[in-house]
Amino acid sequence: MHPPKKEHPEEKSGLHPRNKHRARYDFPALIASSPELKPFVQVNAYGDASVDFFNPQAVKALNKALLKHYYGITHWDIPANYLCPPIPGRADYLHHIADLLGDQNTVSTEGDIPRGPQVKCLDIGVGANCIYPILGTKEYGWSFVGADIDPVAIKSANNIIQANPSLKGKITCRLQPNAADIFRGIIQPGEQFDLTLCNPPFHASAAEAKAGSLRKVRNLKGQRVAKATLNFGGQHNELWTAGGEAAFLTNLVRQSQEFAQSCFWFSTLVSKSENLKNVYKALEQVNALEVKTLPMHQGNKASRLLAWTFFTPAQKADWVQRRWAKK
């Protein structure tokens, strides 16, 4: 006996107003753009077309279709067992941080979001999927440097860039030679960024990552499970780090101080609200002059975007005039 059919809202709750993925997935349109998605689409217990989000191949096929249909990415692939990110949530980060830049845009009376390749972004942990540079380039025309400690991830991201002419010349990937460093070894002498982004690993160990996956599947399926497949994949450096998200964020903040004048706004996702207290303390210790915490909601999942700058109001005004004013 099937569960009663649920009433679904026309739009997904909580997503940013500019997010292209607010509406429910239009599977006929997605299949028309990417026919390889078709075998994974089926009618679920509620009578709706859907894919099995517990099947990594289905999630990957859906991502390919979304990127092709909405962003014109004709080739996108990742190595087996690498992180396959949920695109609506990644797009939300970009739109929220774009609003923050728009709020700083003193060269525009309307506070327009700065667009174009002169807006330069650094993605810490670009991953094999290269998703933030793809979305940022397509939505706002920004240019990107993607950094990662994994040579396989860098090679995969470069393959995606080379396979899509619309990305060439707009995204550069750099291998971080020292896993202990975040910005050093990546930001070159005299180089300046308008923005850094980061989606940090949030588990403290492989065992914790596995337990988190089991808990997630149990909550979604409503039944006990002994083994969970990582439907969105992920290598160890993508999912966990010593000390977990809390340690990574504190380290990120501390290392940002060295490059205080190289970047307008630093930013990161923070998945666990209990980690904010220590991060705020670290930001005080490095003398960050302005800190913003932007709430994000995707359905029942709550997250937040943390951003900070070391610039005074006068320095910010000078930066915007130099880099964003239309020539």
Side-chain angles (χ1 to χ4, degrees):
M1 184 175 180
H2 292 317
K5 181 176 173 63
K6 289 184 178 178
E7 293 297 326
H8 293 287
E10 288 302 311
E11 291 193 341
K12 299 170 186 174
S13 62
L15 291 180
H16 191 281
R18 288 194 304 278
N19 197 321
K20 288 182 169 68
H21 312 290
R22 286 175 63 88
R24 294 171 60 199
Y25 292 133
D26 184 344
F27 284 106
L30 292 174
I31 290 170
S33 293
S34 183
E36 63 185 290
L37 174 64
K38 187 174 182 179
F40 298 103
V41 177
Q42 54 196 337
V43 176
N44 63 20
Y46 304 107
D48 296 317
S50 185
V51 299
D52 180 4
F53 287 96
F54 299 99
N55 179 344
Q57 285 73 38
V59 172
K60 187 174 175 179
L62 176 60
N63 269 16
K64 285 185 176 183
L66 290 171
L67 288 168
K68 188 172 184 181
H69 184 73
Y70 289 102
Y71 304 101
I73 300 300
T74 55
H75 173 85
W76 183 85
D77 201 5
I78 54 175
N81 301 318
Y82 273 72
L83 186 66
C84 188
I87 290 171
R90 299 299 193 263
D92 239 39
Y93 186 159
L94 263 298
H95 293 307
H96 280 286
I97 205 69
D99 285 343
L100 175 62
L101 293 188
D103 290 342
Q104 311 293 311
N105 194 357
T106 53
V107 297
S108 167
T109 55
E110 299 176 0
D112 295 332
I113 294 167
R115 298 172 183 265
Q118 75 275 13
V119 179
K120 190 173 181 180
C121 308
L122 172 60
D123 180 13
I124 300 297
V126 64
N129 55 75
C130 197
I131 201 68
Y132 284 125
I134 290 172
L135 298 178
T137 296
K138 289 296 183 175
E139 291 285 44
Y140 298 109
W142 298 341
S143 61
F144 276 79
V145 169
D148 208 290
I149 62 173
D150 183 354
V152 175
I154 292 292
K155 182 179 179 181
S156 173
N158 277 327
N159 287 342
I160 293 169
I161 296 162
Q162 292 304 312
N164 292 277
S166 64
L167 300 179
K168 288 183 181 179
K170 299 174 182 177
I171 306 168
T172 302
C173 294
R174 298 175 185 170
L175 181 67
Q176 171 55 264
N178 185 351
D181 288 330
I182 296 176
F183 302 104
R184 190 183 297 173
I186 295 297
I187 298 180
Q188 299 171 358
E191 191 171 27
Q192 292 185 315
F193 289 93
D194 298 272
L195 178 67
T196 73
L197 305 93
C198 184
N199 188 35
F202 49 85
H203 294 298
S205 65
E208 185 181 302
K210 181 180 178 182
S213 295
L214 287 170
R215 186 165 55 251
K216 175 180 165 186
V217 173
R218 188 161 54 241
N219 290 340
L220 288 171
K221 289 192 171 184
Q223 60 191 48
R224 292 186 61 81
V225 289
K227 183 179 180 181
T229 300
L230 288 169
N231 54 336
F232 289 100
Q235 295 294 292
H236 73 86
N237 55 287
E238 295 176 306
L239 299 176
W240 63 272
T241 187
E245 182 184 70
F248 183 92
L249 292 173
T250 300
N251 196 28
L252 179 71
V253 167
R254 289 174 178 164
Q255 292 195 31
S256 72
Q257 186 181 32
E258 181 181 346
F259 295 89
Q261 300 305 306
S262 301
C263 181
F264 190 28
W265 281 94
F266 296 88
S267 77
T268 182
L269 282 178
V270 181
S271 67
K272 299 177 182 179
S273 60
E274 60 266 29
N275 290 334
L276 286 172
K277 182 179 178 181
N278 285 337
V279 179
Y280 290 150
K281 185 176 180 181
L283 286 164
E284 287 182 13
Q285 291 171 342
V286 298
N287 300 314
L289 295 183
E290 188 175 359
V291 177
K292 289 186 177 290
T293 307
L294 309 176
M296 295 170 57
H297 298 279
Q298 297 148 37
N300 295 324
K301 181 184 177 184
S303 184
R304 68 269 332 138
L305 194 167
L306 183 68
W308 66 97
T309 183
F310 296 93
F311 283 16
T312 65
Q315 287 174 315
K316 287 199 289 185
D318 175 69
W319 179 283
V320 170
Q321 188 66 42
R322 277 191 299 110
R323 295 176 62 90
W324 299 355
K326 294 180 180 178
K327 304 294 192 268

